[in-house]
Amino acid sequence: MAGDQSQKAPESQKSKIESLLGPQIKKLAKLSKKLPLNFLLVVLLVIAAYFIGSLRTEVAYLKAGSGKVAVTPAGAGGQSVPNPAAAQPSGPVPKVTDRDHIRGARDAKIFLIEYSDMECPFCKQFHPTMQQVVRDYNGDVAWVYRHFPLTFHANALKESEASECVAELGGEDKFWQFVDKIFQRTTSNGVGFALDDLAPLAAEVGVNQAEFQTCLDSGRYTEFINEQGKGAVSAGVGGTPGNILLTRDGDSKLLQGALPLAQVKQAIDQFLK
């Protein structure tokens, strides 16, 4: 099945991009008599860059197949995963510790661990789902956010480091505000949020901008983020978002991909019975 998808990908993606770019090109053609040629070329390049990035992410997934690692994030492996799949973790799930970022009650019955990449379009899609889960289960389920930046997403590692610097300087509430805003604003696929905008965003959520920049430039969280990525791979996470349900008794279930809210709830409810 994965092989069939890979063979069909170029044609389907070509048609998709043509259908999306076509109307834009027609509009630009009408404006060509009024605007300088250089300006029109810049606009075309921006539009094309976005859709080429999206195509690259989807093709990387299709080439990888349903369960294989295609690329190497932070010294481990992974891919952006749009489609849901469920399985048991293939290895030990790293324990939840005080180093983890947790949204919800720390004494919750279930931890929903998300291994995420801030430039992954499917993580962006899944982020509101995770927010809704925490609200709906009101203390029974807590969200544990872990880093899994993919190497073909150029800005992802530095964005993860930035979030850790915000946590160091401002605490957990500032960390979550920062991550929420990244996912709200990024256009994904690698360079969807400019690295030059990280320091101003840190200041926006209430962190000292100069201290933040010093922390980010030091690279002191690179190894920590790499270790989280390796932990994801050891547990069987093959891409982002990679989600693991973990109970207090140590029972676990791997939920791979940007699952619909109803499917996430179904898996949670089975564990709460």
Side-chain angles (χ1 to χ4, degrees):
M1 183 65 70
D4 293 340
Q5 288 179 323
S6 297
Q7 291 172 3
K8 294 176 182 178
E11 285 300 322
S12 63
Q13 292 300 329
K14 180 180 177 182
S15 299
K16 179 180 177 181
I17 292 175
E18 286 176 349
S19 65
L20 289 167
L21 288 179
Q24 304 300 329
I25 293 172
K26 289 179 181 178
K27 290 179 182 178
L28 289 171
K30 292 180 181 180
L31 292 171
S32 61
K33 296 180 181 179
K34 303 178 181 180
L35 297 173
L37 178 60
N38 287 346
F39 176 80
L40 292 173
L41 289 173
V42 170
V43 173
L44 276 172
L45 286 171
V46 170
I47 295 171
Y50 173 81
F51 289 109
I52 289 170
S54 179
L55 172 62
R56 184 182 178 191
T57 297
E58 294 186 31
V59 169
Y61 166 72
L62 291 170
K63 285 183 177 179
S66 59
K68 297 179 180 179
V69 171
V71 294
T72 307
Q79 61 207 9
S80 294
V81 181
N83 299 317
Q88 294 299 315
S90 60
V93 179
K95 293 180 180 180
V96 177
T97 71
D98 290 340
R99 290 293 305 275
D100 280 303
H101 301 291
I102 300 176
R103 179 174 256 171
R106 285 187 172 265
D107 61 351
K109 296 176 183 178
I110 294 175
F111 289 125
L112 182 48
I113 302 168
E114 180 192 8
Y115 285 96
S116 184
D117 172 325
M118 294 184 197
E119 284 295 321
C120 162
F122 310 115
C123 298
K124 178 180 172 73
Q125 173 189 334
F126 191 61
H127 198 74
T129 299
M130 292 292 285
Q131 292 172 321
Q132 190 65 46
V133 165
V134 174
R135 287 193 294 267
D136 289 353
Y137 283 91
N138 192 28
D140 284 338
V141 179
W143 175 9
V144 181
Y145 186 95
R146 290 178 177 168
H147 304 286
F148 195 30
L150 310 179
T151 54
F152 63 85
H153 289 156
N155 291 359
L157 176 58
K158 215 61 185 173
E159 288 169 8
S160 289
E161 292 179 33
S163 70
E164 291 298 328
C165 288
V166 168
E168 175 190 318
L169 298 169
E172 283 296 287
D173 287 345
K174 301 300 183 186
F175 168 86
W176 286 105
Q177 290 175 35
F178 185 84
V179 171
D180 287 346
K181 288 182 181 295
I182 286 281
F183 278 115
Q184 287 168 7
R185 298 178 186 182
T186 183
T187 56
S188 304
N189 293 308
V191 291
F193 191 89
L195 297 183
D196 289 344
D197 292 335
L198 291 173
L201 181 59
E204 182 180 327
V205 301
V207 169
N208 182 284
Q209 186 166 336
E211 292 179 0
F212 167 85
Q213 193 64 56
T214 298
C215 174
L216 187 62
D217 291 343
S218 74
R220 60 176 170 261
Y221 285 106
T222 305
E223 184 177 354
F224 171 72
I225 291 164
N226 288 348
E227 288 302 314
Q228 287 203 333
K230 292 175 184 177
V233 173
S234 69
V237 174
T240 56
N243 315 296
I244 299 174
L245 283 173
L246 181 65
T247 70
R248 291 285 174 180
D249 296 329
D251 294 331
S252 60
K253 184 175 184 179
L254 178 63
L255 304 174
Q256 188 68 44
L259 293 151
L261 178 61
Q263 194 166 344
V264 176
K265 285 187 168 185
Q266 183 180 29
I268 291 170
D269 291 342
Q270 291 174 351
F271 271 41
L272 287 174
K273 288 180 180 178

